[in-house]
Amino acid sequence: MTDEATLQKLFQQKIKKAVVLGDLYEGRANNVWRIIFEDVPDCIVREPKSGIEESEFSFGCKEIFGLNMSHVYEHIEIVNEQLKNTNSFAIPAVIRKQQVEGRRFLVMEKIEGQQVASFIDRSPEFLMDYGRQLANLHQFHAAYFGTVHEGKRADLSVFHQTLVSTAEKLIDRYDMYSKHIREYFPIFKEKIRNLKSPVSASFILIDIDPSQYVEKNGMISGLVDTEAVAIGPREYDFVALEYLLTEREALFIQQGYEDISNLPKNLAAVRECYRFICLLLDIHGTWDFHQWMRHPVRFF
């Protein structure tokens, strides 16, 4: 049976066209379609893949935040409802879950817009608005870190200790032959031991990337990829964002953010250690160790 014939079983209305969204590649976590009808609004269908091969990212997400990337399907409506309450980015509603032919599907609201390709060279208005929406997302405050759906909740006093134990496991599993990473690990442990525990946590995007958003009329219209949202220190988002921006973009994002909230006070103190964790998690693909750790600072 073709995908379109299978997808038709999800709906009473006849599908006019099912358009595959995103690039098809080995290891992709979801199949995603835009479903176009004749006379009712379009929607999005996601098919989470089962048996996703473990990676640095999925292993690290589970160890640090308790986020099991193979079971995101089970909790996505809770996550999206919680994010909707932040008065931040528009978040798609989960219309229903359904199984067809043994395959699991999520039928979701379609937020109008095109996938954001990059933050580079965007207008000041686009970037400042993004900063404001990120600040609103960070208005959620918690004294714990973990999953949005309450699967894991741990006190922030053990967050840095958790990073150390996770880093050690990641290195043993994936980077045991990386000379630079293994040599830096004792330095990382000493530096993070001298850091104060985070005082608050927010909703964060562990693998933050422009492709997680859609835009319309030159402004971000929604956050549509929420699978790797967790609760953690907001400093993490800024550390991860620095690799996606030049000085110009960071300046406008910071200006917009500071219309709502100040940047975290201890960002400079935690940057090096959090960069190391982001490197081990492979959040932005493979980088040279020195290029990653010496990347220009964007937020001050």
Side-chain angles (χ1 to χ4, degrees):
M1 183 176 289
T2 65
D3 280 342
E4 190 157 331
T6 302
L7 293 169
Q8 181 61 69
K9 293 189 174 186
L10 296 169
F11 304 99
Q12 294 182 343
Q13 305 91 345
K14 182 170 175 54
I15 293 175
K16 180 179 179 181
K17 191 174 183 181
V19 180
V20 176
L21 299 181
D23 298 324
L24 295 176
Y25 58 89
E26 189 86 20
R28 191 182 188 202
N30 289 283
N31 291 323
V32 186
W33 297 267
R34 175 185 176 183
I35 307 299
I36 302 172
F37 301 101
E38 288 281 1
D39 51 4
V40 296
D42 298 353
C43 68
I44 299 295
V45 172
R46 291 178 176 266
E47 181 190 13
K49 289 186 178 178
S50 58
I52 298 172
E53 186 177 347
E54 183 184 272
S55 65
E56 296 96 320
F57 182 73
S58 64
F59 180 82
C61 285
K62 189 172 183 180
E63 288 292 312
I64 299 171
F65 300 103
L67 184 61
N68 188 331
M69 299 305 295
S70 295
H71 295 164
V72 168
Y73 173 90
E74 301 171 12
H75 309 291
I76 193 69
E77 64 266 70
I78 298 173
V79 172
N80 284 17
E81 282 301 316
Q82 291 288 325
L83 296 178
K84 277 177 175 285
N85 294 332
T86 63
N87 193 32
S88 177
F89 305 102
I91 306 292
V94 178
I95 298 170
R96 67 179 179 277
K97 299 176 180 178
Q98 192 170 334
Q99 289 202 18
V100 176
E101 311 277 334
R103 295 164 65 180
R104 301 174 303 163
F105 294 97
L106 290 169
V107 181
M108 304 184 72
E109 171 192 11
K110 181 185 182 298
I111 294 179
E112 290 300 317
Q114 301 296 317
Q115 187 178 56
V116 177
S118 174
F119 294 128
I120 303 299
D121 292 331
R122 303 311 303 260
S123 71
E125 293 77 17
F126 175 99
L127 296 165
M128 291 179 69
D129 182 67
Y130 176 73
R132 293 186 196 101
Q133 294 200 62
L134 184 63
N136 281 327
L137 188 70
H138 288 166
Q139 292 305 294
F140 171 83
H141 294 292
Y144 53 82
F145 67 99
T147 59
V148 177
H149 65 270
E150 300 186 13
K152 172 182 176 176
R153 296 287 168 87
D155 194 274
L156 285 167
S157 63
V158 299
F159 182 69
H160 289 157
Q161 177 184 328
T162 302
L163 295 187
V164 171
S165 62
T166 301
E168 188 165 23
K169 292 174 184 176
L170 282 167
I171 292 168
D172 286 343
R173 279 174 175 256
Y174 300 103
D175 296 295
M176 65 182 304
Y177 300 112
S178 173
K179 178 175 179 288
H180 295 306
I181 285 177
R182 294 194 73 84
E183 287 179 349
Y184 181 77
F185 181 59
I187 299 171
F188 162 77
K189 284 200 297 184
E190 184 63 28
K191 286 180 178 288
I192 206 166
R193 188 177 293 122
N194 292 322
L195 293 177
K196 294 181 180 178
S197 298
V199 296
S200 179
S202 304
F203 294 130
I204 61 170
L205 291 88
I206 305 172
D207 59 344
I208 195 166
D209 187 83
S211 65
Q212 296 167 330
Y213 306 92
V214 292
E215 61 173 302
K216 185 179 181 181
N217 299 325
M219 305 290 270
I220 285 182
S221 53
L223 169 61
V224 295
D225 182 351
T226 59
E227 294 176 5
V229 174
I231 297 173
R234 61 193 177 116
E235 291 88 343
Y236 179 95
D237 273 349
F238 288 102
V239 170
L241 257 179
E242 288 185 321
Y243 295 90
L244 305 175
L245 311 170
T246 70
E247 183 177 353
R248 172 190 174 274
E249 288 78 34
L251 177 64
F252 287 122
I253 289 174
Q254 183 168 338
Q255 286 179 6
Y257 192 95
E258 290 180 333
D259 285 344
I260 307 295
S261 178
N262 292 326
L263 261 63
K265 291 181 179 179
N266 64 333
L267 178 57
V270 304
R271 178 178 279 110
E272 184 176 337
C273 289
Y274 287 15
R275 280 187 169 187
F276 186 61
I277 291 296
C278 289
L279 175 67
L280 295 180
L281 289 176
D282 202 25
I283 64 166
H284 294 322
T286 303
W287 280 60
D288 173 79
F289 173 81
H290 294 298
Q291 285 185 328
W292 181 271
M293 297 302 291
R294 296 170 182 169
H295 190 272
V297 171
R298 300 301 190 201
F299 295 106
F300 299 91

